[in-house]
Amino acid sequence: MGIRVHEGAAITGVEANGAVTETGRIPAEITMWTAGFTVHPIAAATTLAVSDTGQIVVDGTMRSISHPTLMIPSRRRRIAPASRVESTAITQ
């Protein structure tokens, strides 16, 4: 089984026997489709704690570890290891 990488291919569809791009078909028995990550401008321009890749660091409940009142959508966050997450007491 050979593996070929098609970087920068604009995928327009995935079928049972391959992928369809803007320029044609890529036949395949198995298709693995991945995407890159870019830092959202809001994350880059704030004081939110971010990882070395620019993802917002969250705890196990998806709250920002630096701003726990903010919930972060899944593609823009990285879950912090347990050793980096501090517990926060909330009182009313």
Side-chain angles (χ1 to χ4, degrees), residues 12-90:
T12 59
V14 177
E15 300 172 345
N17 57 353
V20 180
T21 71
E22 290 180 336
T23 59
R25 287 192 75 261
I26 301 172
E29 292 179 31
I30 299 171
T31 301
M32 182 185 303
W33 181 5
T34 63
F37 172 82
T38 59
V39 179
H40 193 281
I42 292 175
T46 67
T47 58
L48 291 167
V50 295
S51 69
D52 56 343
T53 60
Q55 292 170 293
I56 300 168
V57 182
V58 298
D59 64 15
T61 63
M62 303 308 148
R63 294 178 306 165
S64 164
I65 64 167
S66 60
H67 296 76
T69 58
L70 297 178
M71 301 292 286
I72 307 302
S74 63
R75 287 183 291 158
R76 302 288 182 205
R77 53 94 176 133
R78 173 178 284 177
I79 299 175
S83 61
R84 286 199 52 196
V85 177
E86 299 174 10
S87 61
T88 304
I90 300 174

